[in-house]
Amino acid sequence: MDTTRLLAFSGSFFLIAMSPGLCMTLAMSLGIRIGVRRTLWMMLGEVVGIALVGSCAMLGVAAVLLGSPTLFTIFKLAGATYLVWTAVHAWRAAVSTVDGPTASGELSALNLTTQGFVTAVANPKAWAFMVALLPPFLVLDQPLAPQMASLLGLMVVIEFTALMIYAQGGRSLSDWLVRRGRGHWLNRISAALMFGVAGWLVWG
């Protein structure tokens, strides 16, 4: 795959990844609540989900799924329900810093990874973006597997970078609030963001 094509794809996908969306909002929310280090589990699930969506788009499966609103509705409602449940617990949780025992032990690695994966896969806009963005960068008269590997590798790196930026932004906000004696806002802001992501999944 030629360098010009890869650079064009990287620039396009970076702009998409950095725009505020479901996964970036979730990364910031968790960065506020549990810190960047534990949010890495959510990021793992999210990049796996995005890689799956991208693979399906390049293989043409996404076109079929986009024509199956029932399947998308099931994914969206399941993801939204889980996020609402998490947000309610965050709202009611005792005030603690992001490094405190309550915050660190509240969500398991498996729960966080699942949350990231479901949010990525249940986002219909992610599928639509992939269907529109990825196929034009493929050269049909060349082997598909190396091209897919190159594009998916770039996607994972760019998506992870964007998630880290948002999570670190959430952590910085958390530190700022704690220094000013307003730590009680942390859980409320985190919960509000997760409620927003859940609503976005359902009505977006």
Side-chain angles (χ1 to χ4, degrees), residues 16-164:
I16 293 172
M18 284 301 297
S19 61
L22 287 172
C23 295
M24 298 306 144
T25 304
L26 182 60
M28 176 173 282
S29 169
L30 291 173
I32 290 172
R33 188 179 175 203
I34 61 175
V36 176
R37 183 176 62 84
R38 284 191 56 76
T39 303
L40 287 171
W41 288 109
M42 184 282 290
M43 297 181 197
L44 172 62
E46 199 276 344
V47 295
V48 170
I50 283 295
L52 175 63
V53 172
S55 299
C56 290
M58 284 187 278
L59 293 172
V61 177
V64 176
L65 290 176
L66 284 171
S68 304
T70 302
L71 183 59
F72 259 130
T73 300
I74 292 171
F75 269 121
K76 287 164 66 175
L77 291 178
T81 300
Y82 182 73
L83 287 172
V84 167
W85 178 82
T86 304
V88 169
H89 280 265
W91 189 277
R92 295 175 175 174
V95 176
S96 62
T97 64
V98 291
D99 295 317
T102 301
S104 332
E106 204 165 35
L107 291 172
S108 70
L110 178 61
N111 284 341
L112 290 167
T113 304
T114 302
Q115 193 170 333
F117 180 81
V118 170
T119 302
V121 175
N123 182 6
K125 291 183 180 178
W127 290 87
F129 270 127
M130 295 301 182
V131 170
L133 179 66
L134 287 172
F137 287 96
L138 297 173
V139 181
L140 297 181
D141 59 357
Q142 294 182 8
L144 182 61
Q147 296 182 73
M148 287 182 62
S150 298
L151 293 178
L152 289 174
L154 286 171
M155 282 172 51
V156 167
V157 171
I158 293 170
E159 186 78 4
F160 178 76
T161 301
L163 289 167
M164 283 292 292

